Amino acid sequence: VQLQASGGGLVQAGGSLRLSCVTSGLAISKYAVGWFRQAAGKDREFVAAVSGSGRTPYYQDSVKGRFTISRDNAKDTAFLQMNNLEREDTAVYYCAARLWTTEWAAYKYDQKTWDYWGQGTQVTVSS
């Protein structure tokens, strides 16, 4: 199983980036996909997650209205569209996948419950 995150970069505040997470070795429609981030000197935190069908997204409060998580199961890929970026969004972003269950969302913040992780992609927002 592999998750490959990409799309990070350097952007000015107010700009946009689109992160991609390409998966392999998974029946992706059976997995929820999430994005987490870790800023320098801080713990890794939940950003967004979406159910296997893509119909039920969840977001951290600070990114609601600015970030959109989506997925294309036919392409085994998930996305994080990030608009109106702020300096506080600067971090390494990780994608993760966990087997979908009826109660998966109740544990979405618990990183130990996520089964697979990709390598990170750096997002740097300058003022």
Side-chain angles (χ1 to χ4, degrees), residues 28 30-34 49-52 71 96-100 104 114:
I28 189 64
K30 298 183 185 298
Y31 285 77
V33 176
V50 66
S51 60
R71 58 192 296 161
R98 59 161 291 160
L99 191 65
W100 184 91
W104 78 271
W114 290 82

Side-chain angles (χ1 to χ4, degrees), residues 49-108:
V50 66
S51 60
S53 66
R55 287 194 291 266
T56 311
Y58 299 90
Y59 298 96
Q60 182 199 101
D61 286 347
S62 68
V63 307
K64 284 181 181 177
R66 300 187 298 120
F67 290 11
T68 302
I69 188 171
S70 62
R71 58 192 296 161
D72 183 342
N73 287 347
K75 296 183 178 180
D76 296 326
T77 303
F79 305 96
L80 185 68
Q81 178 67 43
M82 305 186 295
N83 298 329
N84 194 21
L85 282 160
E86 303 170 354
R87 288 190 63 185
E88 292 72 23
D89 296 317
T90 294
V92 178
Y93 284 71
Y94 299 88
C95 61
R98 59 161 291 160
L99 191 65
W100 184 91
T101 65
T102 54
E103 298 179 347
W104 78 271
Y107 302 95
K108 59 186 178 294

Side-chain angles (χ1 to χ4, degrees), residues 102-124:
T102 54
E103 298 179 347
W104 78 271
Y107 302 95
K108 59 186 178 294
Y109 300 112
D110 186 349
Q111 297 178 38
K112 296 188 297 295
T113 67
W114 290 82
D115 301 311
Y116 303 105
W117 291 83
Q119 91 297 349
T121 186
Q122 176 71 47
V123 172
T124 303

